[in-house]
Amino acid sequence: MSKSTIKQQNESDDMTVEPQVKKNKQNQKTALDFRKYTQQIWLAGLGAFSRAEEEGNKFFDSLVKVGEELEAKTLDFADQTVTKVTDKALESVYETKDKVEKILDQSVNTSLNRLGLASSKDIQHLEQLILSLHSKVDTLIEENQALRQQLSQSSQ
């Protein structure tokens, strides 16, 4: 081999060795970077876990408080709704009861009139007439007694 061939071969070997050295250094740097990032990710995970544990309790407590407030509002709303529904139901029951009573009264009065029996209104009217007649009879009795006294005094 000639000197120039050996020189070219040495240069060619240098060129082959030089990129390999660069690749090895680059691979070592990448491996170190990877380890560094892996370590950072691990530490970040530990930090996140620790913070989640600390703040998780606070967050849980705040959720419980919000839940209690919501439950109180819901119970108030439910109580109001139940009260409204109950009031409407009672009102409806009373209205229906009044209607049924009126219908029964009318039916009973109609049946009594068909049978020729007096209704409570008829009896009340008769009572008023009797009281009026009683008052007139009392007045007539008093006038009759007054006239008798006058006659007996004039005959004496």
Side-chain angles (χ1 to χ4, degrees):
M1 277 201 198
S2 70
K3 279 188 173 181
S4 72
T5 309
I6 293 175
K7 188 176 180 181
Q8 283 178 351
Q9 191 176 3
N10 283 342
E11 285 178 7
S12 153
D13 286 344
D14 284 345
M15 288 183 169
T16 308
V17 171
E18 192 174 305
Q20 286 177 353
V21 171
K22 284 183 182 180
K23 281 184 183 180
N24 285 340
K25 285 184 181 180
Q26 201 173 28
N27 286 341
Q28 286 176 351
K29 185 177 179 184
T30 305
L32 289 175
D33 287 345
F34 181 74
R35 286 183 194 155
K36 179 180 170 185
Y37 291 129
T38 305
Q39 181 69 23
Q40 288 177 344
I41 290 170
W42 171 253
L43 293 174
L46 287 176
F49 179 75
S50 175
R51 181 162 291 171
E53 188 176 17
E54 289 173 13
E55 293 181 8
N57 291 333
K58 292 176 189 174
F59 184 66
F60 180 77
D61 292 341
S62 71
L63 287 175
V64 168
K65 185 177 178 181
V66 168
E68 288 172 345
E69 291 171 2
L70 182 62
E71 181 181 38
K73 288 178 185 177
T74 304
L75 288 176
D76 288 342
F77 179 74
D79 288 344
Q80 290 173 0
T81 303
V82 167
T83 301
K84 287 178 184 178
V85 169
T86 303
D87 291 345
K88 286 183 181 180
L90 285 175
E91 184 179 316
S92 177
V93 166
Y94 288 130
E95 287 176 4
T96 303
K97 178 185 165 249
D98 290 343
K99 288 178 184 177
V100 168
E101 283 179 351
K102 287 178 184 177
I103 290 170
L104 282 173
D105 285 346
Q106 289 174 353
S107 297
V108 168
N109 287 334
T110 302
S111 297
L112 290 175
N113 286 335
R114 283 185 190 161
L115 294 172
L117 298 174
S119 68
S120 63
K121 287 183 182 179
D122 292 339
I123 293 174
Q124 286 175 352
H125 180 68
L126 288 174
E127 285 177 351
Q128 288 176 351
L129 286 175
I130 291 171
L131 288 175
S132 174
L133 284 173
H134 192 278
S135 162
K136 288 180 181 180
V137 168
D138 286 345
T139 305
L140 286 174
I141 290 174
E142 287 175 9
E143 287 177 5
N144 189 13
Q145 286 176 352
L147 282 174
R148 280 188 182 173
Q149 278 182 351
Q150 283 179 355
L151 282 175
S152 68
Q153 283 176 359
S154 34
S155 50
Q156 287 179 356

